[in-house]
Amino acid sequence: MSADNTKGSGKNSGGYSRRTILRGSAIFAGFAATAAVRGFPAVKAADATTLRYLGTAVNQSADIAKKVKEDLGITIEYVPVTTDEVTKRIITQPNSFDIVDSEYFSLKNLIPSGNLMGMDAKKIKYADKITSVFTTGTVNGKTIGDQGTAPKKVFYLEGQYSKKFASSPTEWITLIPTTYNADTLGIRPDLIKRPIEHWSELLNPEFKGKASILNIPSIGIMDAAMAIESAGIHKYADKGNMTKEEIDLTIKTLIEAKKAGQFRAFWSDFNESVNLMASGETVIQSMWSPAVTAVRSKGIPCTFQPLKEGYRAWASGFGLPKTLEGKKLDAAYDFVNWFLSGWAGAYLNRQGYYSAVLETAKEFMQPYEWAYWMEGKPAEQDIHAPDGSLLEKAGAVRDGGSYDTRMGAIACWNAVMDENAYMVRKWNEFIAA
Amino acid sequence: MRAIQDFFSRTLAYWQAAPMALVFGFFFLLPLAATAMVSFWEYTEYSIEPAFVLTNYSDAFDGCISSLPDLCTTFRTYLSTLFFCGGTWLLTLIIGFTVAWFLAFHVRTMTMQIVLFTLCTIPFWTSNVIRMISWIPLLGRNGLMNQLLLSLGIVSQPQEWLLYSDFSVLLAFVHLYTFFMVVPIFNSMMRIDRALIEAAYDAGASGWQTLWNVVVPLTKPGITIGSIFVITIVMGDFVTIGIMGGQQIASVGKVIQTEISFLQFPAAAANAVILLISVLLIIVGLTRLVDIRKEL
């Protein structure tokens, strides 16, 4: 998932090289800081214990900020933007935040820019407890799919300021995981009225005019690839890193389906996907877990359907800008350590995401909650969201089952391809067809 | 002293124009020049490098010659955008002109004119996006329109072309932008000397003849200004086409937005320059038809 709730703002950085942008933004940030001090001397905006947290709105909960303030005295100042905007900010304005929550697949672009630094594993208390999904790409000893930008490929750096990923574990971690999950197709079981077991159903003419796909090229093409492979049209060596020929084939198949009227609409933000599904305009589509919950909370049946070919996974984590130092740097490490210590993990697990350190989160969850969310057992009591709203009645079972079953069935990860520019151009061709 | 005073009085007009010129230069000309410059630069996924290459333009027109007679992506995108532009222009012109005509010539009192004019602005009281989204429960597969048609027995199946189609995009455009046509045309009509209409009537002209030979020529500046508003907005729009077309219809703006979100700034800049040139060509064409400066 790369949860965007707003349209990209279409900002253009204008006629400057990266270097001048960096310099410019440094001057600007400095100016903004002094302005803040002069303008509002009472506000703690310039205090070292304020962390500007750049990320998408999904992970930025007011409850977490409140709890951090209570436990550590650190003020979290959220800077909520879209997934694309996170990447853009790190590259063009690396001084505009103190800590960033970014997706792992963006690292292929972020690390070569040199604007982030490796995080010192020695300062992360629970570094060795981080789930093996990230460190070795295994769940319970079983190797999981690693097509695309699997976190284990980009988890370690060769040195703190290195621009190269290390192939074996080092002391320097690129991102400390915050949330991750496995995505699949969402369906309306009441309108389909038969079991759905394969990704190929997305292109099944039976659902002509009632299917939808994600219009975020890098993710949409992966969903398409899952469907194409499932339909037996082509077997990809790596769905997350296609060759030009494979991109051509994928787009050609999509264009044929589009011309035959397969798709009702495409969507690019969370709310659009909820509207399409809830109004019955579509009955099968790419979807994100919280969107399925949102449809269900309207009293409309919607299933996040586990499929035989497996899931397309995503993960995001905390990174630090290279320029962070002194008190702020210490505060950032304190915050990350707090985040892994359980309260936040339990909070995220209750939303249907997964947390980086499972053992600590378990301590903060009721046994029946743990059994429902993580072990795939029927709920012994009603299941409530962190805000107290009712999610599931007693007896319900989570779509896709336990953590091990779900994460164990990952087929590929959100990715940035080597042929990304070409892929984006071909995707535009698909939209224009 | 004298000399300085002379200097200032001779150049007074320039000084008066200077603040506007500065604002214009900094916030319009400079970014525009930067965009044009960047469109020739090279880029990777995470950096843009000063250079002078034409690849961004050749990529934009990739396969446009070789794939003939099939249209390439760029041509097809522009063709679709031009289609919406032309359709919206024609419909907003007809509706806008009629509304302005009614307001200017058939509503007698100033108070009533103001009241009705205000009524026209009601759609603008909510945001653009909300106005568009509200079409969905009306036109959707299970929407009000389909329920009505089904219950009246006019159709036996829900009509899918009502939403996420060329029709719905045009409908939304007309709904959103007719007012931009009404205002300048109404303004032109109010300046028409009523004696001219009476004279035409006295000379035995029919209603249509008066309309065509007196009113239309005199409202040309209003029509041109309204047309420029509508055409420039529709050419650059991607939100309306995105929402109402179910993102299945290409638009130039969307192509640029996608490129920007993938940090391909030079490619986006090249496309922006191409778009700018095509819009300018249309406007030059329009101003050839009517000399706005002379008419105002």
Side-chain angles (χ1 to χ4, degrees), chain B residues 96-133:
Chain B
F97 189 90
T98 318
V99 172
W101 169 270
F102 177 79
L103 282 177
F105 296 115
H106 288 263
V107 180
R108 305 267 160 192
T109 65
M110 179 73 111
T111 329
M112 204 55 196
Q113 271 179 344
I114 293 171
V115 169
L116 290 175
F117 203 78
T118 317
L119 274 181
C120 287
T121 65
I122 285 182
F124 288 83
W125 293 4
T126 61
S127 91
N128 191 331
V129 175
I130 290 175
R131 269 179 284 158
M132 280 188 280
I133 288 175

Side-chain angles (χ1 to χ4, degrees), chain A residues 245-257:
Chain A
E245 290 72 36
E246 283 176 330
I247 294 172
D248 287 344
L249 173 87
T250 314
I251 297 295
K252 193 174 137 258
T253 317
L254 283 176
I255 290 178
E256 280 164 13

Side-chain angles (χ1 to χ4, degrees), chain B residues 151-225:
Chain B
S151 64
L152 290 178
I154 296 171
V155 293
S156 56
Q157 286 277 320
Q159 296 299 298
E160 307 215 325
W161 56 268
L162 285 173
L163 188 59
Y164 302 136
S165 59
D166 289 355
F167 167 79
S168 58
V169 174
L170 264 181
L171 186 69
F173 272 141
V174 170
H175 175 227
L176 292 173
Y177 302 136
T178 298
F179 194 62
F180 290 114
M181 213 44 132
V182 173
V183 177
I185 295 180
F186 175 73
N187 184 41
S188 288
M189 281 179 177
M190 290 305 282
R191 289 155 178 244
I192 296 176
D193 188 348
R194 300 296 135 140
L196 290 174
I197 313 242
E198 280 162 29
Y201 186 73
D202 289 345
S206 71
W208 284 110
Q209 280 174 322
T210 316
L211 173 74
W212 194 248
N213 296 317
V214 180
V215 179
V216 169
L218 289 173
T219 47
K220 261 191 192 167
I223 294 174
T224 315
I225 293 170

Side-chain angles (χ1 to χ4, degrees), chain B residues 211-257:
Chain B
L211 173 74
W212 194 248
N213 296 317
V214 180
V215 179
V216 169
L218 289 173
T219 47
K220 261 191 192 167
I223 294 174
T224 315
I225 293 170
S227 304
I228 291 175
F229 277 149
V230 170
I231 288 169
T232 47
I233 297 173
V234 175
M235 282 301 282
D237 179 281
F238 61 93
V239 179
T240 312
I241 296 184
I243 294 180
M244 298 307 289
Q247 310 206 8
Q248 298 222 55
I249 299 168
S251 58
V252 184
K254 183 71 195 177
V255 171
I256 296 174
Q257 194 221 6

